[in-house]
Amino acid sequence: MKAPHPPSAIAAPLHGLRVLDLTTFLSGPFCTQILADLGAEVVKIEAPGGDSSRAIPPHFVRGDSAYFLGINRSKRSVALDLKQGEGIALVRRLIAEADVVVENYRPGVASRMGLDPQQLCTEHPRLVWASISGFGQVGPWRDQPAYDMIVQALSGVMSLTGEVGRPAVRLGIPAGDMVAGMYAAIAINATLAERERTGRGRAIDISMLDCQLAMLSYQSTYALVAGTTPQPQGARHDSIPTYRSFQGGDGRELVVTANTERMWQGLCRALQCPELIADARFASAADRLAQREQLWPLLERAFLARPAADWIAPLQAEGVPVALIKTVPEALQDAREAGREMVLPLRDPRDGTQIDVVGNPIKFVGAQAPAATYPARLGEDAPAVLGDWLQMDATSVQRLARAGVVVGVADADAPAA
């Protein structure tokens, strides 16, 4: 039996892969940040004014929005004027050197710009081209604009979110964008694995709406199989009446997920309501579901006897999964204390600016994650990227900068300030 290979010092599975990022806002940048966290070299191509998310209020650090800083770490920035022919020509040259291109233009826009995916994949057979759009590259809605809330609404997700009898609400996180970014990253990595076998890449078509539909999970199956229309879930579960939130006597909320017979009985004992175990109305899971409107007031009244936090220990002692509903700052503080590097400090070596962001959830046993870097300033990496990828000398880069094709490059001939 061969001895196992010793773990590598740094977990960077995509080390050596070049990713050209033509995306803006959230779905695409979130995808490419995942690839950067996995070790890929990601070069973000921005317009002369920068990714529009750099300007999203209300929070800014040194001129860049907190929104932008949270999804663009460990990338290099090149700012190009793609309305100029030389700008498009530069992008085409960079594509020729890339392993992966990610874009989230509206379908047809890349082709009209002179970046036709089919043509470029034919010219570069190993290229992996991932397109993220609201409704996909084909279909009746392909030309319609889409944002996170649009696909949450059209997918049925918003109809499930909120309380019965009240207006629908969007999820508190931008799942329409972020789930599409994750599916794109999954598809890219699957295609890269295929390329190892076949030597060929392929084009990938990711629809934000498709991804939201996939997230409907058992609710979609209930609708398809049983012909039902799932209702707003609030903080409850359609199948398990003891899988929901409750309020403690101090007004704070907690959740319990008592989804087995053992947990149901443990819940009753912890709440000091052992008589419910013997109550014929609640004898089985099916009975409890059918009689949930009678059961819930009994449980709600019991939970009011103590502050929410005081229920944690007795429920855990009975093997009932339980958690306080945390605020975002509380959850982040818990993450700091957990020591899993899920709150990540990023320090800008240029002036010492430091921010904290949520880290990479993918952990590799026996190896540490690559060091994350502070998000780049607009266009600052153009000389290095054009030199590394295209062997372009400083004089050529300066000429492009003076012509306005490349933006954010200091003029070597300009007098020092």
Side-chain angles (χ1 to χ4, degrees):
M1 180 177 178
K2 293 182 178 178
H5 293 292
S8 58
I10 302 293
L14 300 185
H15 176 73
L17 285 165
R18 288 176 165 178
V19 177
L20 197 65
D21 178 355
L22 304 179
T23 70
T24 62
F25 229 82
L26 182 52
S27 61
F30 186 61
C31 168
T32 55
Q33 180 171 276
I34 294 171
L35 302 178
D37 282 342
L38 293 174
E41 178 188 356
V42 177
V43 171
K44 183 177 179 68
I45 303 298
E46 300 189 61
D51 184 329
S52 55
S53 70
R54 286 185 183 265
I56 295 178
H59 306 295
F60 293 86
V61 178
R62 209 185 50 204
D64 284 324
S65 75
Y67 190 112
F68 174 86
L69 296 174
I71 51 172
N72 284 287
R73 64 174 172 261
S74 302
K75 304 177 188 179
R76 306 168 89 180
S77 173
V78 176
L80 300 177
D81 183 357
L82 299 186
K83 294 180 180 178
Q84 296 194 47
E86 273 196 292
I88 291 295
L90 268 181
V91 171
R92 291 181 67 95
R93 290 178 63 190
L94 290 167
I95 289 171
E97 301 300 321
D99 295 285
V100 177
V101 175
V102 186
E103 52 94 358
N104 61 350
Y105 299 118
R106 200 179 300 182
V109 169
S111 296
R112 290 195 294 273
M113 293 168 59
L115 302 174
D116 181 71
Q118 184 174 353
Q119 178 192 11
L120 289 164
C121 286
T122 300
E123 292 177 8
H124 310 292
R126 289 180 56 81
L127 182 65
V128 177
W129 184 290
S131 299
I132 305 172
S133 63
F135 304 107
Q137 301 301 305
V138 296
W141 304 323
R142 71 183 292 270
D143 296 322
Q144 297 300 313
Y147 292 91
D148 175 79
M149 189 181 283
I150 297 295
V151 298
Q152 285 198 32
L154 290 174
S155 65
V157 166
M158 280 185 65
S159 77
L160 300 171
T161 308
E163 298 289 344
V164 174
R166 296 183 62 83
V169 295
R170 66 178 286 270
L171 293 172
I173 59 171
D177 282 300
M178 298 184 76
V179 170
M182 285 193 288
Y183 268 112
I186 292 168
I188 287 165
N189 279 288
T191 306
L192 289 170
E194 179 187 49
R195 191 180 73 170
E196 287 295 304
R197 299 192 305 273
T198 67
R200 300 186 66 85
R202 65 166 72 227
I204 299 164
D205 175 8
I206 299 293
S207 155
M208 291 170 62
L209 179 59
D210 290 352
C211 294
Q212 285 298 278
L213 290 169
M215 289 291 101
L216 289 174
S217 185
Y218 60 85
Q219 294 290 8
S220 62
T221 311
Y222 288 0
L224 291 167
V225 172
T228 61
T229 300
Q231 297 300 300
Q233 299 297 292
R236 301 186 294 270
H237 194 288
D238 261 353
S239 299
I240 309 168
T242 50
Y243 192 110
R244 55 159 286 184
S245 69
F246 294 93
Q247 190 176 82
D250 58 349
R252 183 139 196 197
E253 293 176 284
L254 70 163
V255 297
V256 295
T257 57
N259 60 356
T260 68
E261 192 64 30
R262 177 186 60 79
M263 292 177 188
W264 154 248
Q265 294 183 17
L267 173 65
C268 295
R269 288 191 294 269
L271 291 177
Q272 299 178 2
C273 300
E275 69 279 3
L276 295 180
I277 299 173
D279 193 316
R281 293 174 298 172
F282 313 129
S284 69
D287 292 329
R288 292 190 289 274
L289 181 61
Q291 304 298 330
R292 59 189 178 276
E293 297 296 340
Q294 296 181 50
L295 174 61
W296 283 336
L298 302 175
L299 299 177
E300 289 165 357
R301 187 162 53 248
F303 273 106
L304 290 174
R306 296 187 187 184
D310 290 356
W311 287 113
I312 303 300
L315 286 163
Q316 288 179 337
E318 291 286 355
V320 179
V322 59
L324 288 174
I325 296 179
K326 300 292 183 78
T327 65
V328 172
E330 287 173 335
L332 293 173
Q333 182 57 34
D334 287 349
R336 291 179 193 275
E337 295 171 1
R340 289 183 55 81
E341 298 183 334
M342 283 308 299
V343 176
L344 190 67
L346 299 180
R347 185 178 182 277
D348 189 338
R350 294 158 296 200
D351 62 7
T353 297
Q354 182 166 309
I355 62 171
D356 289 340
V357 297
V358 170
N360 176 16
I362 300 172
K363 314 297 184 187
F364 293 95
V365 176
Q368 66 184 89
T373 59
Y374 194 94
R377 295 179 186 178
L378 178 63
E380 71 172 328
D381 299 304
V385 170
L386 297 178
D388 292 348
W389 286 36
L390 306 182
Q391 293 74 54
M392 190 175 289
D393 60 31
T395 300
S396 299
V397 175
Q398 287 293 335
R399 180 190 67 77
L400 291 168
R402 292 185 184 118
V405 175
V406 178
V407 177
V409 177
D411 191 333
D413 296 333

